[in-house]
Amino acid sequence: SVNTLFPLYREVGQLKAAFSPPLAKPEASANCKAGVDLTIPVDEGVIYKWDKAEWAGITALTAAELDALLSMEKGKPANGLKIDKAAKDIQKAYGRKGYLMVGIRSAPTFDDNAQNVSYRMEIREGPQFRMGRFLTKGFPETTDKALHERWALKTGDIFDQGYSIEFSQKQMNELMRAMFLERRAQNKPAPNLKWDNTINRAALTVDVILELTN
């Protein structure tokens, strides 16, 4: 289908590939007497090479850092899928610095003579958020105390959107191991954790709530 083919063209730098409406003609066969042969005309276009990205509106990250996230090589085919993916990677990088409302607008400029493409990448960074409260619910007292002792983001610190994932992977497994083994010995369900980030846009803070739900 067109939806399947279009990313393949974008991946190899054919950013202007265009598909016409399908053409159908009867094509009977032994298996299907009323069969139809579908043809999708395509104008593949030229393969554009990457030139550069021009960044606007950036203060928290440098152009070099953003270029690294974009991961494009000058003179190589402009990988449209990398360009699409870079938006998520850029938002994650800003999230680690407390910028949770980042907007990205990209606009290509094609040089058909040189078969190059450059992109103007306009970033709207938005406000920077800080850590509010770390709240825990439903845990045994000793586990609850250990959670608060190990949680490194303190109230007023620049909020790191990726820290909860790191904490879950590096700290929670150890802290929850005894509880998991105890419940398994008693044929009880494994502990279930719920993470929630509550954003206060007026105060520019984020409360992190960790709850043991069973």
Side-chain angles (χ1 to χ4, degrees):
S1 69
V2 170
N3 289 337
T4 301
L5 293 174
F6 188 63
L8 299 179
Y9 283 102
R10 286 181 54 76
E11 185 176 11
V12 298
Q14 291 172 293
L15 305 179
K16 287 187 176 182
F19 297 87
S20 300
L23 303 175
K25 66 177 181 178
E27 187 70 24
S29 67
N31 295 327
C32 183
K33 294 183 178 180
V36 175
D37 181 26
L38 280 179
T39 301
I40 304 176
V42 56
D43 179 4
E44 294 184 342
V46 302
I47 296 176
Y48 287 95
K49 299 183 294 295
W50 180 255
D51 185 12
K52 61 183 177 180
E54 297 177 351
W55 301 96
I58 60 174
T59 58
L61 293 175
T62 66
E65 289 173 318
L66 292 168
D67 281 336
L69 291 172
L70 195 54
S71 185
M72 302 288 283
E73 294 185 57
K74 186 178 179 67
K76 296 291 182 66
N79 188 328
L81 299 189
K82 274 189 177 182
I83 297 170
D84 297 340
K85 180 180 179 295
K88 293 182 179 180
D89 293 336
I90 290 169
Q91 287 174 332
K92 286 180 181 179
Y94 269 104
R96 304 224 62 163
K97 292 179 176 289
Y99 293 89
L100 309 182
M101 303 172 67
V102 174
I104 305 169
R105 181 183 298 174
S106 62
T109 298
F110 295 98
D111 183 340
D112 288 329
N113 290 329
Q115 295 186 5
N116 284 341
V117 61
S118 61
Y119 269 75
R120 176 177 173 81
M121 309 290 283
E122 186 174 340
I123 308 294
R124 187 187 70 251
E125 294 182 334
Q128 187 179 45
F129 287 80
R130 293 186 175 271
M131 181 68 196
R133 299 171 297 170
F134 177 57
L135 305 173
T136 51
K137 300 179 181 180
F139 292 92
E141 184 177 350
T142 54
T143 305
D144 191 84
K145 181 180 179 182
L147 286 170
H148 284 271
E149 288 175 349
R150 296 193 184 196
W151 182 262
L153 280 180
K154 306 304 180 185
T155 299
D157 287 350
I158 293 173
F159 185 71
D160 181 348
Q161 196 172 31
Y163 179 71
S164 293
I165 297 174
E166 290 182 353
F167 187 82
S168 178
Q169 293 173 342
K170 297 178 181 179
Q171 302 286 349
M172 291 303 299
N173 287 343
E174 179 185 344
L175 292 172
M176 298 299 294
R177 187 173 186 273
M179 188 183 301
F180 173 81
L181 294 175
E182 180 182 354
R183 290 194 177 193
R184 188 172 66 173
Q186 298 172 355
N187 291 320
K188 293 182 179 180
N192 186 51
L193 302 175
K194 178 183 177 183
W195 290 87
D196 186 32
N197 290 346
T198 301
I199 297 175
N200 186 326
R201 296 192 181 190
L204 298 181
T205 59
V206 181
D207 291 338
V208 178
I209 304 169
L210 175 57
E211 183 178 1
L212 180 65
T213 59
N214 69 6

